[in-house]
Amino acid sequence: MGTALITGASSGLGLEFAWQLAAARHDLVLVARDQKRLTEHADRLRAAAGVEIEVIKADLAKRPQLKVVAERLAATEKPVGLLVNNAGFGTSTSFADTAIADSERALDVMVRAVMVLSHAAMGQMIQRARGAILNVSSVAGYMANGTYSAAKAWVTSFTESLAVELSGTGVTATALLPGRTRTEFHSRAGIDSSRYPEIVWLSAAEVVTTALADVRRGAVLSTPSVRYGVAGHLARHAPRGLIRAISQPYGR
């Protein structure tokens, strides 16, 4: 069924992608910083699904480690047919209150790594006339909520540009734009998720199921759930002055 490479695969959406793709008989390349968790998850996935799994410990903010992942994507032996650029993180503070090194790291992981890994994967995918790139963005990219929104706005625009460039090659590009999803993302960012009503939350399972279905049909934008589809449409077409008025620093 082919091989999928997933970044940020040790938890949250990345881990859910791993389980759903393994269940569909895809071999996997799992990428994350936490070697212990990666190895434990890989063992469970092998036992449950009987698929082949490679593990790459890498911090995508560090260029030598990013290069290792890019080289795996560019390989023509056991080529990767699906790249899931999922790694990312948020903060609970405004840009002014966040150390600039942390903001730079966010851009390295959510912008630069997405660009580098997409480029690495495209070459062998175009050569084989098959493949897909799935970049995890967010409906927050339509808002004006600090560095996180800016990074996700770039991911969405970049993915749309990839889709145009890849048209007719047999390779597709999809941006996934979920809303608030129950994962470790918010607790790791120091965001108190209890203050948001239950209706705003999506499950990781439904987000990933929608994303993979949209990849299969070649959709460029994938927004799980009707409510976030409507919210995203309104935010995308609303006057920017209104968006600025209702936005706040990410995490508040």
Side-chain angles (χ1 to χ4, degrees), residues 8 10 32-34 57-63 65-66 87-91 95 98-114 147-148 151-152 188:
S10 63
R33 292 182 296 163
D34 191 326
K57 178 183 182 295
D59 182 343
L60 301 183
K62 297 180 178 178
R63 296 192 178 198
Q65 296 181 38
L66 176 63
F89 61 92
T91 66
F95 176 64
T98 301
I100 192 62
D102 292 337
S103 292
E104 289 178 311
R105 176 177 168 75
L107 292 183
D108 283 339
V109 173
M110 292 187 285
V111 174
R112 187 176 186 278
V114 170
T147 304
Y148 185 83
K152 293 306 186 182
R188 286 186 171 188

Side-chain angles (χ1 to χ4, degrees), residues 36-91:
K36 184 175 183 293
R37 293 182 78 177
L38 276 181
T39 300
E40 291 173 350
H41 292 315
D43 289 343
R44 294 190 187 102
L45 286 160
R46 288 189 194 98
V51 295
E52 294 185 22
I53 301 179
E54 302 170 47
V55 168
I56 301 176
K57 178 183 182 295
D59 182 343
L60 301 183
K62 297 180 178 178
R63 296 192 178 198
Q65 296 181 38
L66 176 63
K67 183 180 179 182
V68 172
V69 183
E71 288 172 347
R72 176 61 184 89
L73 284 165
T76 54
E77 182 178 348
K78 197 172 183 184
V80 171
L82 171 63
L83 164 62
V84 181
N85 275 314
N86 166 73
F89 61 92
T91 66

Side-chain angles (χ1 to χ4, degrees), residues 134-159:
L134 174 60
N135 294 328
V136 178
S137 185
S138 172
V139 291
Y142 296 138
M143 305 304 288
N145 295 339
T147 304
Y148 185 83
S149 279
K152 293 306 186 182
W154 183 92
V155 171
T156 300
S157 178
F158 173 68
T159 306

Side-chain angles (χ1 to χ4, degrees), residues 219-235:
V220 177
L221 300 178
S222 174
T223 307
S225 84
V226 172
R227 60 189 180 277
Y228 277 114
V230 172
H233 176 81
L234 293 175

